[in-house]
Amino acid sequence: MPAAEDGEEEAWVWAQIKAEARRDAESEPALASYLYSTILSHSSLERSLSFHLGNKLCSSTLLSTLLYDLFLNAFSDHSLLSAVVADLLAARERDPACVSFSHCLLNYKGFLACQAHRVSHKLWSQSRRPLALALQSRIADVFAVDIHPAAKIGKGILFDHATGVVVGETAVIGNSVSILHHVTLGGTGKVGGDRHPKIADGVLIGAGATILGNVKIGEGAKIGAGSVVLIDVPPRTTAVGNPARLVGGKERPSKHEDVPGESMDHTSFISECYFLGVIGCFVIWGVLSGLGGRGLDHGLYKAFRNKQELQPSRPVLLVEEIQHHDLALFPVVLQCLSQEQ
């Protein structure tokens, strides 16, 4: 977006924030002084945000006035302020619990941690590394979000809930990415160098997911909640499980058309997998039922026994009690199909 349009968007968002703050001050007098000091007394978004972050992150030895000047100087960089606005818009558009821009600005610790990180990253890039690391420590203490100052983060980012998010030193996060709580973008050990994940644009990472090593998560990919990802994930695909596997299989993974980082669609792959599993179950059932009676049982048992010999870590599915056309075959085949993913 051209700078002029960026400026117009920033002005519009700031006008919305002030209008929301006035409305809230009128409806809840107990917050009037707080809203005046954090928003209504300031002439610009960068001043309001700098004041708020300074008060949030200050300590007895790291003064709020020092932090205010530090943040305000950093947000004078138009690229940083543009990212702030994009992050506000992302939270408002993607999170149904975000009732207003002012609510995000004041109360969303994921948003605040991300903006504070942008400043620590700028300090790191300026070789002011002791100060960058000190700021990282305060961000982790106050917001429970630990992002190394060297990590590169794009704009239009949503850290939803954000508690427990860890992002390593050489990690890269693209634009329009949404990350939920307790997500780790980490390394795999003590090896130095480029060792952390690279997250492309439009990715959605579910709660509790762990992505380890210098792996690439492709544009518009989706990482299921609780997954442990140790492999590259192609664009527009979904990885789930521990260890994570691609939905649809490694050779021909299922692809989606939407941008999960923006749509926040966490679960569509579940219905897709179930549908494919049901179809596959009926196909296999139809083929194997031709064996008849006990032949079906022993045919399946032999197939599963051979499977175990090839991959002994997987359990044998005992199906000797399944009778011809018995619906008990249905979940057995579904389980077999799920193990193939």
Side-chain angles (χ1 to χ4, degrees):
M1 179 181 288
E5 293 184 32
D6 273 355
E8 292 174 4
E9 192 167 52
E10 175 201 331
W12 180 81
V13 168
W14 176 235
Q16 294 296 308
I17 290 172
K18 289 192 294 183
E20 293 162 357
R22 291 191 193 97
R23 178 200 65 202
D24 291 343
E26 291 174 2
S27 64
E28 184 49 78
L31 290 176
S33 176
Y34 169 65
L35 291 169
Y36 179 80
S37 63
T38 52
I39 294 176
L40 296 174
S41 65
H42 299 283
S43 60
S44 65
L45 174 58
E46 59 266 34
R47 288 181 177 276
S48 173
L49 179 58
S50 298
F51 177 84
H52 190 44
L53 284 174
N55 280 287
K56 283 281 189 181
L57 295 172
C58 68
S59 68
S60 58
T61 54
L62 197 59
L63 301 182
S64 61
T65 51
L66 182 150
L67 290 175
Y68 172 78
D69 290 338
L70 183 69
F71 288 128
L72 187 58
N73 180 65
F75 290 130
S76 64
D77 181 339
H78 185 267
S79 64
L80 259 67
L81 189 58
S82 174
V84 170
V85 173
D87 293 351
L88 282 166
L89 290 167
R92 191 74 177 91
E93 291 168 1
R94 299 177 208 164
D95 185 358
C98 185
V99 296
S100 66
F101 289 113
S102 61
H103 173 51
C104 179
L105 174 67
L106 296 176
N107 304 321
Y108 267 40
K109 68 178 185 177
F111 168 79
L112 294 170
C114 187
Q115 309 325 310
H117 165 75
R118 296 189 189 284
V119 176
S120 71
H121 179 70
K122 186 176 180 67
L123 293 170
W124 185 270
S125 302
Q126 295 171 339
S127 296
R128 301 176 69 183
R129 296 187 173 184
L131 183 54
L133 291 168
L135 187 54
Q136 175 202 3
S137 177
R138 287 300 298 156
I139 295 167
D141 288 345
V142 173
F143 299 125
V145 176
D146 192 357
I147 307 175
H148 193 281
K152 299 176 181 177
I153 297 181
K155 62 182 184 178
I157 304 300
L158 174 62
F159 286 118
D160 197 0
H161 301 291
T163 300
V165 167
V166 177
V167 180
E169 179 182 7
T170 61
V172 177
I173 300 174
N175 300 320
S176 301
V177 172
S178 294
I179 297 176
L180 274 79
H181 48 289
H182 292 293
V183 165
T184 296
L185 306 181
T188 57
K190 296 193 296 183
V191 177
D194 193 0
R195 61 196 184 279
H196 295 102
K198 309 298 181 283
I199 312 299
D201 296 349
V203 170
L204 172 62
I205 305 178
T210 299
I211 307 175
L212 300 178
N214 188 16
V215 298
K216 295 177 175 60
I217 309 301
E219 182 178 357
K222 185 188 305 184
I223 308 300
S227 299
V228 177
V229 181
L230 306 173
I231 58 173
D232 290 348
V233 178
R236 306 280 177 169
T237 63
T238 300
V240 294
N242 179 7
R245 294 179 173 85
L246 300 178
V247 171
K250 182 171 62 175
E251 300 302 323
R252 300 181 65 183
S254 302
K255 295 210 170 187
H256 46 258
E257 297 299 325
D258 68 327
V259 180
E262 296 177 353
S263 70
M264 301 297 288
D265 179 3
H266 292 267
T267 58
S268 62
F269 70 91
I270 296 175
S271 58
E272 292 169 8
C273 288
Y274 184 77
F275 175 76
L276 291 173
V278 169
I279 296 300
C281 180
F282 275 114
V283 170
I284 294 174
W285 188 6
V287 171
L288 294 181
S289 63
L291 294 174
R294 298 291 293 177
L296 171 62
D297 305 342
H298 291 292
L300 276 174
Y301 182 82
K302 183 177 180 181
F304 288 128
R305 174 62 69 184
N306 290 339
K307 183 179 182 66
Q308 189 199 35
E309 289 172 358
L310 291 173
Q311 295 173 302
S313 63
R314 294 185 177 179
V316 173
L317 299 178
L318 298 177
V319 294
E320 289 183 319
E321 298 304 317
I322 298 176
Q323 300 301 314
H324 186 48
H325 294 308
D326 191 333
L327 283 177
L329 177 59
F330 196 82
V332 170
V333 178
L334 278 180
Q335 185 174 352
C336 179
L337 289 171
S338 69
Q339 289 187 343
E340 288 293 336
Q341 301 302 322

